[in-house]
């Protein structure tokens, strides 16, 4: 009884915050007296900080009111906000109960959408939770159904429409209808289970993306008003004026202000346009920025270099002295290539593991011998070696699929993961030949040859291919309209020619 009382002690909120902020893995269970929002009396909230193996620290909270019986629970992430947002898209077929039983981690910043029903669960509706696809839909249906009796008395038409919608939502929750389950989290802390991991899942698509300034602001980051756009503060005459009346800045304007603004906005095109022109090759530049993990001020170093047999690239690296977070990223220079590129490397000896690798954020990675395939954007843009890339893939898989490694993992899946890690170790030891494939729709990836002349390296194969309409759509190329820029350039050329003739 004495140990139990030590484990569950009623303390104040400040003591709990200080306790869970430490790195102690054996954190005790705390109880905090808190207000019940139903009856107005005081209830008890139990708090437990726990670490999901190979995943992240989470804070479990459970509230219970002894007066009215109100109970609820919540999951909050006690760790860092990820550098990039994530979007999971799960295709659920009718009658497939296994898909409905997949585990889902939804953070407090995540939004859930079902396009077929035009239905959206905003972040504030269902806060952080650990559930299943079926559980999330059932909870949404219960919350919509809670006040139906009152609605029928006040607004019968709305109540009838909600009843019809509930039939469709419950049909999805029970597997009678097929639908698409989209989980979008700007913080990058949400997750949908992949039972086929580490192999790809035909029903699940994962995309990682750079956050918009609005999303940065919603997560608590400091965002300058200019990043959020000032169109809402302008007079109507300025917003609705014709294109010719609006003031235009010169295309590709350069200068320190433009460079700082481009980096602050993480606008790749503006960075390349505003800074690339006045930076000589191999010149390292330093710019102030914010840490993607703790939001403290840090420095970003950047330089432009030409890689033989490849192209001109912009290398960016950030280091945070406050939390130790380090990040490096590669940005392509020059125009968008007309064709994509597929690079195939046949790894036969230990020296091949030391080859330099440039993987852009639009490149997918395949290792046929492992039946492993990573979608574009999974690791972002990295500059590493073949060995480093495989190690990063292993770490990423453990981080993303980490909570499936716990005690709840059945024997079959556990053996599957152990077999995968054993095969991965064989690859890194080059006990047998294997193949690494980088497929980049924008041709911004590269594997260094082992010979002076790339044509003499018979283990390395470069293939160019025409992009499909779907690839162009995913890369945003189908919507690019350069007519205004082309007209401006043509007008400039015409003016220069006329002045020359004069």
């Amino acid at each position: 009884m004495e140990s139990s009382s030590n484990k569950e002690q009623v303390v104040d909120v400040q003591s709990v915050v200080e306790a869970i902020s430490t790195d102690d893995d054996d954190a005790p269970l705390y109880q905090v007296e808190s207000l019940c929002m139903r009856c107005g009396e005081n209830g008890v909230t139990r708090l437990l900080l726990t670490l999901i193996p190979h995943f992240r620290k989470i804070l479990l909270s459970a509230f219970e009111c002894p007066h009215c019986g109100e109970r609820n629970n919540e999951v909050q992430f006690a760790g860092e906000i990820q550098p990039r947002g994530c979007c999971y898209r799960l295709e659920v077929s009718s009658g497939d109960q296994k898909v409905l039983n997949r585990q889902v981690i939804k953070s407090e910043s995540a939004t859930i959408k079902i396009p077929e029903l035009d239905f959206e669960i905003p972040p504030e509706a269902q806060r952080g939770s650990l559930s299943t696809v079926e559980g999330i839909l059932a909870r949404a249906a219960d919350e919509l159904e809670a006040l139906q009796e009152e609605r029928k008395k006040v607004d019968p038409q709305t109540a009838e429409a909600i009843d019809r919608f509930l039939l469709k939502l419950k049909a999805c929750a029970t597997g009678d209808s097929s639908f698409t389950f989209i989980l979008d989290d700007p913080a990058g802390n949400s997750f949908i289970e992949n039972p086929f991991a580490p192999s790809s899942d035909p029903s699940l698509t994962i995309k990682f993306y750079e956050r918009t300034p609005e999303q940065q602001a919603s997560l608590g980051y400091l965002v300058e008003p200019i990043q959020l756009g000032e169109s809402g503060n302008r007079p109507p005459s300025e917003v609705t004026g014709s294109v010719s009346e609006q003031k235009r800045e010169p295309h590709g304007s350069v200068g320190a202000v433009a460079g700082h603004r481009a980096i602050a906005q993480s606008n790749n095109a503006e960075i390349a346009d505003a800074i690339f022109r006045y930076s000589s090759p191999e010149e390292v530049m330093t710019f102030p920025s914010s840490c993607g993990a703790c939001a403290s001020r840090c420095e970003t170093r950047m330089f432009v270099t030409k890689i033989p047999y490849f192209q001109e690239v912009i290398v960016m690296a950030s280091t945070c002295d406050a939390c130790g977070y380090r990040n490096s990223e590669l940005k392509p220079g020059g125009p968008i290539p007309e064709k994509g590129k597929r690079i195939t490397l046949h790894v036969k000896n230990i020296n091949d593991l030391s080859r330099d690798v440039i993987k852009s954020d639009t490149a997918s990675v395949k290792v046929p011998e492992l039946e492993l395939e990573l979608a574009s954007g999974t690791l972002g843009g990295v500059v590493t070696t073949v060995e480093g890339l495989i190690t990063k893939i292993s770490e990423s898989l453990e981080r993303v699929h980490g909570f499936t490694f716990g005690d709840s993992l059945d024997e079959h899946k556990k053996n599957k993961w152990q077999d995968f890690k054993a095969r991965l170790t064989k690859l890194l030891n080059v006990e047998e030949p294997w193949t690494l494939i980088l497929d980049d729709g924008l041709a911004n990836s590269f594997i260094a040859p082992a010979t002076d002349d790339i044509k003499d390296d018979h283990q390395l194969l470069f293939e160019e291919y025409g992009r499909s309409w779907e690839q162009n759509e995913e890369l945003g190329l189908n919507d690019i309209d350069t007519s205004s820029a082309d007209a401006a350039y043509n007008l400039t050329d015409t003016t220069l020619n006329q002045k020359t003739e004069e």
Side-chain angles (χ1 to χ4, degrees):
M1 291 297 292
E2 184 178 351
S3 61
S4 175
S5 62
N6 290 335
K7 283 289 183 179
E8 297 189 13
Q9 49 184 330
V10 178
V11 294
D12 61 291
V13 176
Q14 182 179 356
S15 301
V16 173
V17 173
E18 292 175 352
I20 65 176
S21 299
T22 64
D23 295 330
D24 186 12
D25 295 333
D26 188 20
L29 175 66
Y30 288 95
Q31 292 190 98
V32 180
E33 193 173 14
S34 52
L35 179 68
C36 177
M37 302 307 295
R38 171 174 286 187
C39 67
E41 298 290 337
N42 280 345
V44 176
T45 298
R46 290 176 173 83
L47 300 168
L48 175 66
L49 180 73
T50 184
L51 175 66
I52 297 178
H54 306 291
F55 189 54
R56 298 186 189 108
K57 279 186 177 181
I58 62 171
L59 180 64
L60 302 174
S61 62
F63 173 80
E64 183 175 2
C65 178
H67 304 282
C68 67
E70 170 71 6
R71 301 178 66 182
N72 60 63
N73 58 74
E74 190 175 336
V75 177
Q76 292 183 339
F77 289 91
E80 64 196 34
I81 295 176
Q82 302 306 306
R84 308 173 79 189
C86 64
C87 181
Y88 289 79
R89 185 184 184 93
L90 179 64
E91 303 291 341
V92 182
S93 303
S94 58
D96 193 348
Q97 289 294 330
K98 290 185 178 180
V99 178
L100 294 174
N101 291 332
R102 291 196 186 193
Q103 289 179 298
V104 177
I105 290 182
K106 177 190 177 299
S107 77
E108 58 270 17
S109 60
T111 301
I112 294 175
K113 300 177 184 177
I114 301 178
E116 290 82 356
L117 301 181
D118 196 17
F119 180 58
E120 178 176 319
I121 303 176
E124 60 273 10
Q126 288 190 21
R127 302 207 63 185
S129 61
L130 173 59
S131 184
T132 62
V133 176
E134 180 184 4
I136 287 177
L137 297 185
R139 179 179 173 184
D142 291 341
E143 291 178 352
L144 283 173
E145 204 171 16
L147 300 175
Q148 274 299 83
E149 294 300 325
E150 288 78 0
R151 286 195 193 99
K152 290 177 181 178
K153 298 175 183 177
V154 179
D155 191 350
Q157 291 184 346
T158 302
E160 184 180 354
I162 291 177
D163 281 335
R164 291 196 299 267
F165 175 79
L166 283 172
L167 291 176
K168 298 178 182 179
L169 186 60
K170 290 179 179 179
C172 293
T174 55
D176 295 333
S177 298
S178 58
F179 63 96
T180 305
F181 187 88
I182 299 176
L183 179 63
D184 190 348
D185 186 5
N189 282 325
S190 295
F191 177 77
I192 296 179
E193 178 188 9
N194 174 14
F196 305 100
S199 302
S200 60
D201 184 351
S203 303
L204 184 63
T205 305
I206 309 172
K207 290 184 179 180
F208 299 89
Y209 59 87
E210 301 294 337
R211 288 187 285 268
T212 63
E214 290 78 12
Q215 290 173 327
Q216 292 275 70
S218 68
L219 294 176
Y221 285 99
L222 180 62
V223 180
E224 295 181 4
I226 192 171
Q227 294 179 250
L228 296 172
E230 299 176 346
S231 59
N233 299 327
R234 296 175 184 172
S237 59
E238 289 187 26
V239 178
T240 59
S242 63
V243 175
S244 59
E245 293 174 353
Q246 294 181 10
K247 182 180 178 181
R248 290 179 176 271
E249 291 187 3
H251 182 74
S253 60
V254 298
V257 175
H260 281 274
R261 185 187 303 120
I263 288 182
Q265 295 176 343
S266 297
N267 189 321
N268 300 342
E270 288 187 14
I271 289 173
D273 194 43
I275 298 175
F276 178 81
R277 294 191 181 186
Y278 67 80
S279 61
S280 59
E282 307 300 336
E283 179 185 353
V284 178
M285 293 165 287
T286 303
F287 301 95
S289 59
S290 299
C291 175
C294 68
S296 300
R297 289 188 176 275
C298 64
E299 288 187 344
T300 296
R301 292 174 177 82
M302 172 178 169
F303 72 94
V304 181
T305 185
K306 171 71 175 165
I307 298 177
Y309 302 109
F310 187 43
Q311 63 183 36
E312 213 154 31
V313 296
I314 301 172
V315 181
M316 302 178 67
S318 301
T319 304
C320 179
D321 296 331
C323 68
Y325 176 75
R326 302 177 66 184
N327 180 45
S328 62
E329 199 167 354
L330 186 78
K331 301 293 183 183
I336 296 175
E338 295 183 359
K339 295 183 177 181
K341 182 179 290 185
R342 186 179 297 107
I343 308 172
T344 304
L345 173 66
H346 298 282
V347 181
K348 297 182 179 180
N349 55 66
I350 200 72
N351 294 328
D352 291 329
L353 297 179
S354 301
R355 291 179 185 243
D356 291 326
V357 174
I358 296 174
K359 179 203 167 297
S360 76
D361 52 5
T362 57
S364 63
V365 182
K366 297 180 183 177
V367 181
E369 289 78 4
L370 285 180
E371 299 180 1
L372 174 66
E373 180 176 351
L374 267 68
S376 59
T378 303
L379 297 175
V382 294
V383 182
T384 181
T385 61
V386 173
E387 181 180 10
L389 180 63
I390 297 300
T391 303
K392 283 179 179 290
I393 290 174
S394 176
E395 293 173 351
S396 175
L397 287 172
E398 288 189 359
R399 182 182 67 81
V400 174
H401 303 286
F403 80 96
T404 59
F405 297 160
D407 298 335
S408 61
L409 187 64
D410 60 57
E411 199 64 29
H412 172 70
K413 290 184 178 180
K414 187 178 294 185
N415 292 335
K416 183 178 179 180
W417 274 105
Q418 290 174 349
D419 177 62
F420 170 78
K421 299 214 69 161
R423 291 159 64 192
L424 191 65
T425 303
K426 287 184 179 180
L427 291 190
L428 294 176
N429 294 332
V430 198
E431 296 182 11
E432 55 187 29
W434 55 280
T435 309
L436 174 65
I437 302 174
L438 296 182
D439 193 334
D440 192 344
L442 292 182
N444 288 325
S445 297
F446 180 72
I447 298 178
T451 58
D452 293 335
D453 191 342
I454 197 170
K455 296 179 181 178
D456 297 334
D457 192 341
H458 303 296
Q459 294 175 229
L460 193 59
L461 177 64
F462 291 86
E463 301 174 83
E464 289 189 341
Y465 62 88
R467 288 186 293 266
S468 63
W469 186 92
E470 289 77 10
Q471 285 178 306
N472 285 332
E473 181 70 14
E474 182 178 348
L475 296 170
L477 301 180
N478 291 333
D479 299 325
I480 290 181
D481 183 10
T482 60
S483 57
S484 298
D486 293 339
Y489 281 127
N490 292 335
L491 181 62
T492 304
D493 293 340
T494 303
T495 304
L496 289 174
N497 292 334
Q498 289 177 353
K499 289 183 178 180
T500 304
E501 292 175 358
E502 292 176 358

